[in-house]
Coordinates of all heavy atoms in Angstrom, one line a residue:
G23 N -6.4 -13.4 11.1 CA -5.6 -13.8 12.2 C -4.2 -14.3 11.8 O -3.5 -14.7 12.7
Q24 N -4.0 -14.3 10.5 CA -2.6 -14.8 10.0 C -1.9 -13.6 9.3 O -2.3 -13.3 8.2 CB -2.8 -16.0 9.1 CG -3.5 -17.2 9.7 CD -2.6 -17.8 10.8 OE1 -1.4 -17.8 10.6 NE2 -3.2 -18.4 11.8
Q25 N -1.0 -13.0 10.0 CA -0.3 -11.8 9.5 C 1.2 -12.1 9.3 O 1.8 -12.4 10.3 CB -0.6 -10.7 10.4 CG -2.0 -10.3 10.5 CD -2.3 -9.5 11.8 OE1 -1.4 -9.0 12.4 NE2 -3.6 -9.3 12.1
D26 N 1.6 -12.1 8.1 CA 3.0 -12.4 7.8 C 3.7 -11.0 7.6 O 3.5 -10.4 6.6 CB 3.2 -13.3 6.6 CG 4.6 -13.6 6.3 OD1 5.5 -13.1 7.0 OD2 4.8 -14.3 5.3
P27 N 4.6 -10.6 8.5 CA 5.2 -9.3 8.3 C 6.2 -9.2 7.2 O 6.5 -8.1 6.8 CB 5.9 -9.0 9.7 CG 6.2 -10.4 10.2 CD 5.1 -11.3 9.7
F28 N 6.6 -10.3 6.6 CA 7.5 -10.3 5.5 C 6.9 -10.5 4.2 O 7.5 -10.9 3.2 CB 8.6 -11.3 5.7 CG 9.4 -11.1 7.0 CD1 9.4 -12.1 8.0 CD2 10.0 -9.9 7.3 CE1 10.1 -11.9 9.2 CE2 10.7 -9.7 8.4 CZ 10.7 -10.7 9.4
A29 N 5.6 -10.2 4.1 CA 4.9 -10.3 2.8 C 4.0 -9.1 2.7 O 2.8 -9.2 3.0 CB 4.1 -11.6 2.7
K30 N 4.6 -8.0 2.2 CA 3.8 -6.8 2.2 C 4.1 -6.0 0.9 O 5.2 -6.0 0.3 CB 4.1 -5.9 3.4 CG 3.6 -6.5 4.7 CD 3.6 -5.5 5.8 CE 3.0 -6.0 7.1 NZ 3.0 -5.0 8.2
H31 N 3.1 -5.3 0.4 CA 3.2 -4.3 -0.7 C 2.6 -3.0 -0.2 O 1.8 -2.9 0.7 CB 2.4 -4.8 -1.9 CG 3.2 -5.8 -2.7 ND1 3.2 -7.2 -2.3 CD2 3.9 -5.7 -3.9 CE1 3.9 -7.9 -3.2 NE2 4.3 -7.0 -4.2
V32 N 3.1 -1.9 -0.9 CA 2.5 -0.6 -0.8 C 1.6 -0.4 -1.9 O 2.0 -0.5 -3.1 CB 3.6 0.5 -0.7 CG1 2.9 1.9 -0.6 CG2 4.5 0.2 0.5
Y33 N 0.3 0.0 -1.7 CA -0.7 0.2 -2.7 C -1.2 1.7 -2.6 O -1.3 2.2 -1.5 CB -1.9 -0.7 -2.6 CG -1.6 -2.2 -2.8 CD1 -1.3 -3.0 -1.7 CD2 -1.7 -2.7 -4.1 CE1 -1.1 -4.4 -2.0 CE2 -1.4 -4.1 -4.3 CZ -1.1 -4.9 -3.2 OH -0.9 -6.2 -3.4
V34 N -1.5 2.2 -3.8 CA -2.2 3.6 -3.8 C -3.4 3.5 -4.7 O -3.3 2.9 -5.8 CB -1.2 4.7 -4.3 CG1 -2.0 5.9 -4.6 CG2 -0.2 4.9 -3.2
Q35 N -4.5 4.1 -4.3 CA -5.7 4.3 -5.1 C -6.0 5.7 -5.1 O -5.7 6.5 -4.2 CB -6.9 3.4 -4.5 CG -6.6 1.9 -4.6 CD -7.7 1.1 -3.8 OE1 -7.4 0.8 -2.6 NE2 -8.8 0.8 -4.4
T36 N -6.7 6.2 -6.2 CA -6.9 7.6 -6.4 C -8.4 7.8 -6.6 O -9.1 6.9 -7.1 CB -6.1 8.2 -7.5 OG1 -6.4 7.5 -8.7 CG2 -4.6 8.1 -7.3
S37 N -8.8 9.0 -6.3 CA -10.2 9.4 -6.5 C -10.3 10.9 -7.1 O -9.6 11.8 -6.5 CB -11.0 9.3 -5.2 OG -12.3 9.9 -5.4
D38 N -11.1 11.1 -8.1 CA -11.3 12.4 -8.6 C -12.7 13.0 -8.3 O -13.0 14.1 -8.8 CB -11.1 12.4 -10.2 CG -9.7 12.2 -10.6 OD1 -8.8 12.7 -9.9 OD2 -9.4 11.4 -11.5
D39 N -13.4 12.4 -7.4 CA -14.7 12.9 -7.0 C -14.9 12.9 -5.5 O -15.9 12.5 -4.9 CB -15.8 12.1 -7.6 CG -15.7 10.6 -7.4 OD1 -14.9 10.2 -6.5 OD2 -16.4 9.8 -8.1
D40 N -13.8 13.3 -4.8 CA -13.8 13.5 -3.4 C -14.2 12.2 -2.6 O -14.9 12.2 -1.7 CB -14.7 14.6 -3.0 CG -14.2 16.0 -3.4 OD1 -13.1 16.4 -3.0 OD2 -14.9 16.6 -4.3
G41 N -13.6 11.1 -3.1 CA -13.7 9.8 -2.4 C -15.0 9.0 -2.7 O -15.2 8.0 -2.1
L42 N -15.8 9.5 -3.6 CA -17.0 8.7 -3.9 C -16.7 7.4 -4.7 O -17.3 6.4 -4.4 CB -18.0 9.6 -4.7 CG -19.4 9.0 -5.0 CD1 -20.1 8.7 -3.7 CD2 -20.2 9.9 -5.9
T43 N -15.8 7.5 -5.6 CA -15.3 6.3 -6.4 C -13.8 6.3 -6.4 O -13.2 7.4 -6.3 CB -15.8 6.3 -7.8 OG1 -15.4 7.5 -8.5 CG2 -17.4 6.3 -7.8
W44 N -13.2 5.1 -6.5 CA -11.8 5.0 -6.4 C -11.2 4.1 -7.5 O -11.9 3.2 -8.0 CB -11.4 4.4 -5.1 CG -11.6 5.3 -3.9 CD1 -12.8 5.4 -3.3 CD2 -10.7 6.2 -3.4 NE1 -12.7 6.4 -2.3 CE2 -11.4 6.9 -2.3 CE3 -9.4 6.6 -3.6 CZ2 -10.8 7.9 -1.6 CZ3 -8.8 7.6 -2.8 CH2 -9.5 8.2 -1.8
S45 N -10.0 4.4 -8.0 CA -9.3 3.6 -9.0 C -9.0 2.2 -8.4 O -9.0 2.0 -7.2 CB -8.1 4.3 -9.5 OG -7.1 4.3 -8.5
A46 N -8.6 1.3 -9.3 CA -8.0 0.0 -8.9 C -6.7 0.3 -8.2 O -6.0 1.3 -8.5 CB -7.8 -0.9 -10.1
P47 N -6.3 -0.5 -7.3 CA -5.0 -0.3 -6.6 C -3.8 -0.5 -7.5 O -3.8 -1.4 -8.3 CB -5.0 -1.4 -5.5 CG -6.0 -2.4 -5.9 CD -7.0 -1.7 -6.7
V48 N -2.9 0.4 -7.3 CA -1.6 0.4 -8.1 C -0.5 0.0 -7.1 O -0.4 0.6 -6.0 CB -1.3 1.8 -8.7 CG1 0.1 1.8 -9.3 CG2 -2.4 2.1 -9.7
V49 N 0.3 -0.9 -7.5 CA 1.5 -1.3 -6.6 C 2.6 -0.2 -6.7 O 3.1 0.0 -7.8 CB 2.0 -2.7 -7.0 CG1 3.3 -3.0 -6.2 CG2 1.0 -3.8 -6.8
V50 N 2.8 0.4 -5.6 CA 3.9 1.4 -5.6 C 5.3 0.7 -5.3 O 6.3 1.0 -6.0 CB 3.7 2.4 -4.4 CG1 4.8 3.4 -4.3 CG2 2.4 3.1 -4.7
A51 N 5.3 -0.3 -4.4 CA 6.5 -1.0 -4.1 C 6.1 -2.3 -3.4 O 5.0 -2.4 -2.8 CB 7.5 -0.2 -3.3
G52 N 7.0 -3.2 -3.4 CA 6.8 -4.5 -2.7 C 8.1 -5.2 -2.2 O 9.1 -5.1 -2.9
D53 N 8.0 -5.8 -1.1 CA 9.1 -6.6 -0.6 C 8.5 -7.9 -0.1 O 8.1 -8.0 1.0 CB 9.8 -5.9 0.6 CG 10.6 -4.7 0.1 OD1 11.6 -4.8 -0.5 OD2 10.1 -3.6 0.4
V54 N 8.4 -8.9 -1.0 CA 7.8 -10.1 -0.6 C 8.8 -11.2 -0.4 O 9.7 -11.5 -1.2 CB 6.8 -10.6 -1.8 CG1 6.2 -11.9 -1.4 CG2 5.8 -9.5 -2.0
D55 N 8.8 -11.7 0.8 CA 9.6 -12.9 1.2 C 11.1 -12.6 1.1 O 11.9 -13.5 0.9 CB 9.3 -14.1 0.4 CG 7.8 -14.5 0.5 OD1 7.2 -14.1 1.5 OD2 7.3 -15.1 -0.5
N56 N 11.5 -11.4 1.2 CA 13.0 -11.1 1.2 C 13.5 -10.6 2.5 O 14.6 -10.0 2.6 CB 13.3 -10.1 0.1 CG 12.7 -8.8 0.3 OD1 12.0 -8.5 1.2 ND2 13.1 -7.8 -0.6
G57 N 12.7 -10.8 3.6 CA 13.2 -10.5 4.9 C 13.0 -9.1 5.4 O 13.5 -8.6 6.4
F58 N 12.2 -8.3 4.6 CA 11.9 -6.9 5.0 C 10.5 -6.8 5.5 O 9.5 -7.4 5.0 CB 12.1 -6.0 3.9 CG 13.5 -5.6 3.7 CD1 14.4 -6.3 2.9 CD2 14.1 -4.5 4.4 CE1 15.7 -5.9 2.7 CE2 15.4 -4.1 4.2 CZ 16.2 -4.8 3.4
L59 N 10.3 -6.0 6.5 CA 9.0 -5.6 7.0 C 8.7 -4.2 6.6 O 9.4 -3.2 6.8 CB 9.0 -5.6 8.6 CG 7.9 -4.9 9.3 CD1 6.5 -5.5 9.0 CD2 8.2 -4.9 10.8
I60 N 7.6 -4.0 5.8 CA 7.2 -2.6 5.4 C 6.2 -2.1 6.5 O 5.2 -2.8 6.8 CB 6.5 -2.6 4.0 CG1 7.6 -3.0 3.0 CG2 5.9 -1.3 3.7 CD1 7.0 -3.0 1.6
D61 N 6.4 -0.9 7.0 CA 5.6 -0.4 8.1 C 5.5 1.1 8.0 O 6.3 1.8 7.4 CB 6.2 -0.8 9.4 CG 5.2 -0.8 10.6 OD1 4.0 -0.6 10.3 OD2 5.7 -0.9 11.7
K62 N 4.4 1.6 8.6 CA 4.1 3.0 8.8 C 4.4 3.9 7.6 O 5.3 4.7 7.6 CB 4.8 3.5 10.1 CG 4.3 4.9 10.5 CD 2.8 4.8 10.8 CE 2.1 6.2 10.8 NZ 1.9 6.7 9.4
P63 N 3.6 3.7 6.5 CA 3.8 4.6 5.4 C 3.0 5.9 5.5 O 2.0 5.9 6.3 CB 3.3 3.7 4.2 CG 2.1 3.0 4.9 CD 2.5 2.7 6.3
T64 N 3.4 6.9 4.8 CA 2.5 8.1 4.6 C 2.6 8.5 3.1 O 3.6 8.1 2.4 CB 3.0 9.2 5.5 OG1 4.3 9.6 5.2 CG2 2.9 8.8 7.0
I65 N 1.7 9.3 2.7 CA 1.7 9.9 1.4 C 1.4 11.3 1.4 O 0.5 11.7 2.2 CB 0.7 9.1 0.4 CG1 0.8 9.6 -1.0 CG2 -0.7 9.1 1.0 CD1 0.1 8.7 -2.0
T66 N 2.1 12.1 0.6 CA 1.9 13.6 0.6 C 1.8 14.0 -0.9 O 2.7 13.8 -1.6 CB 3.0 14.3 1.3 OG1 3.2 13.9 2.6 CG2 2.8 15.8 1.3
A67 N 0.6 14.5 -1.2 CA 0.5 15.1 -2.6 C 1.1 16.5 -2.6 O 1.0 17.3 -1.6 CB -1.0 15.1 -3.0
D68 N 1.7 16.9 -3.7 CA 2.3 18.2 -3.8 C 1.1 19.2 -3.9 O 0.2 19.2 -4.8 CB 3.1 18.3 -5.1 CG 3.9 19.5 -5.2 OD1 3.5 20.6 -4.9 OD2 5.1 19.4 -5.7

């Protein structure tokens, strides 16, 4: 119930077995407490 829009990171996890197991989250980018709201991300593999 406590959501701070100015404290967000973008994380990515990967799987090599069609989603059965996943890697630990990797921080792609972050904007913590600097006045930015991170919203509506997408990811596209080549």
